[in-house]
Amino acid sequence: RFLNSSRGYTSQSQFYGGKQITPLGINGEFTASYLFLNKSDNFKGPDISPFDPKNIINVLINEDNSSTEIDFQNLPHTIQPLLQHVNDWIKYIFDIDEPLEIKESMYGTYDIVLGSDLLSNVGSGISQALPIILNIIISENKFVFLEEVEQNLHAAAQAKIADMILFYSFYGRKFIVETHSEHILNRIRLRKIQLEKRYGDKQLCNIYFVTKSKTRGSTAENININSKGQFDSSKLSDGFFDQSQLDTLDIIKEIKDL
């Protein structure tokens, strides 16, 4: 299932025209109508509710399960209506309490409302992330292709959407994610350290840095992460590190010389 990076028109739909491979449309344009038509359907997935002791972060990260054998293919799960899943993840990713609702207008359109306001008036971050959140939830036993998931999201939201992708990979989803975000990458590094510290070596994901040359075209270099969260490669390509990381290294060097 595929979503591209142009996901700016998700707050309203006039009709539903999704397909099997793009149930929300290639740009997420059928997000509102899909939610309206399927909001009460039950879906299975990790629990992210902060008040539930079986919250996936409590189960895998916060609790001391280092002496317990965890079956990552049979983790605790919740089965609940689609809209509840969506609201739980919006609360986690954006730290907001207002529930998201879908209403049918007198003009025959489906409008997404957050609290008392139209989603289109709230800001572009949730509108960009909502199709991703929804696509992940409804794609059990599917391959999910996502482009630039970080668009218009602040750093914390980028890291938390990386959590969602990682946790759902334990629940019958496989992902190919294209990103330029250091925050997404760093969250994956953090979770790798935490999980391997508790449960031993886990192959959570493969990371590839793609470069392009006139002679070879596009080339993907596999970048491993070791158990300390470090990049375990002797030939990291130029441009792999985000500029803020390079600036931080320069700041540390300058401070050492003071």
Side-chain angles (χ1 to χ4, degrees):
R1 287 185 168 171
F2 176 74
L3 271 176
N4 76 9
S5 57
S6 300
R7 301 180 298 270
Y9 304 96
T10 62
S11 59
Q12 184 183 82
S13 301
Q14 290 186 322
F15 59 91
Y16 180 68
K19 300 178 181 179
Q20 178 65 21
I21 195 170
T22 54
L24 307 181
I26 194 169
N27 298 314
E29 63 268 27
F30 301 124
T31 298
S33 54
Y34 187 96
L35 260 178
F36 182 84
L37 295 172
N38 300 279
K39 60 185 177 182
S40 299
D41 292 352
N42 287 325
F43 287 85
K44 174 183 174 181
D47 192 344
I48 199 63
S49 171
F51 307 110
D52 195 315
K54 291 187 178 180
N55 175 309
I56 188 65
I57 295 178
N58 288 335
V59 170
L60 291 181
I61 307 297
N62 293 340
E63 293 181 358
D64 184 10
N65 292 319
S66 56
S67 60
T68 304
E69 188 69 26
I70 293 285
D71 181 1
F72 280 81
Q73 303 304 314
N74 192 30
L75 291 168
H77 63 270
T78 181
I79 298 176
Q80 58 186 7
L82 177 59
L83 187 57
Q84 185 59 55
H85 271 297
V86 170
N87 276 319
D88 284 350
W89 281 100
I90 286 177
K91 177 177 177 58
Y92 173 70
I93 293 170
F94 294 99
D95 196 24
I96 56 176
D97 293 320
E98 292 85 356
L100 182 147
E101 299 179 54
I102 301 87
K103 298 181 178 180
E104 187 174 14
S105 76
M106 60 185 296
Y107 304 106
T109 60
Y110 303 110
D111 299 318
I112 299 179
V113 178
L114 187 67
S116 60
D117 211 344
L118 289 171
L119 186 63
S120 56
N121 297 332
V122 174
S124 59
I126 297 178
S127 294
Q128 288 280 339
L130 180 58
I132 296 172
I133 294 169
L134 182 57
N135 204 26
I136 291 172
I137 294 170
I138 66 175
S139 295
E140 187 172 6
N141 299 319
K142 297 288 192 302
F143 247 117
V144 182
F145 297 82
L146 301 171
E147 283 188 348
E148 297 184 24
V149 295
E150 69 272 14
Q151 274 198 11
N152 294 324
L153 301 181
H154 56 73
Q158 292 179 39
K160 289 178 178 179
I161 212 162
D163 273 343
M164 184 179 188
I165 292 169
L166 175 62
F167 294 144
Y168 265 94
S169 72
F170 301 136
Y171 290 82
R173 282 82 167 164
K174 295 183 179 179
F175 295 92
I176 294 180
V177 181
E178 183 272 333
T179 182
H180 302 92
S181 170
E182 64 171 314
H183 307 296
I184 289 174
L185 188 59
N186 286 337
R187 178 52 61 96
I188 297 298
R189 294 168 65 191
L190 171 64
R191 295 308 189 201
K192 181 177 177 64
I193 295 170
Q194 292 173 323
L195 292 174
E196 290 195 349
K197 182 178 179 181
R198 291 162 176 78
Y199 312 111
D201 185 34
K202 295 294 176 187
Q203 183 63 41
L204 298 180
C205 62
N206 293 308
I207 297 174
Y208 295 90
F209 182 69
V210 179
T211 56
K212 188 175 183 180
S213 69
K214 293 182 179 179
T215 56
R216 297 189 301 167
S218 297
T219 304
E221 179 185 352
N222 190 359
I223 305 298
N224 294 319
I225 301 176
N226 64 27
S227 60
K228 296 181 180 180
Q230 300 167 324
F231 296 110
D232 190 16
S233 176
S234 60
K235 52 175 185 176
L236 288 177
S237 303
D238 291 339
F240 179 80
F241 289 105
D242 188 271
Q243 186 60 45
S244 66
Q245 292 174 302
L246 297 175
D247 289 343
T248 299
L249 291 174
D250 287 338
I251 290 170
I252 293 172
K253 292 177 183 177
E254 293 296 329
I255 291 175
K256 288 176 64 177
D257 294 335
L258 289 178

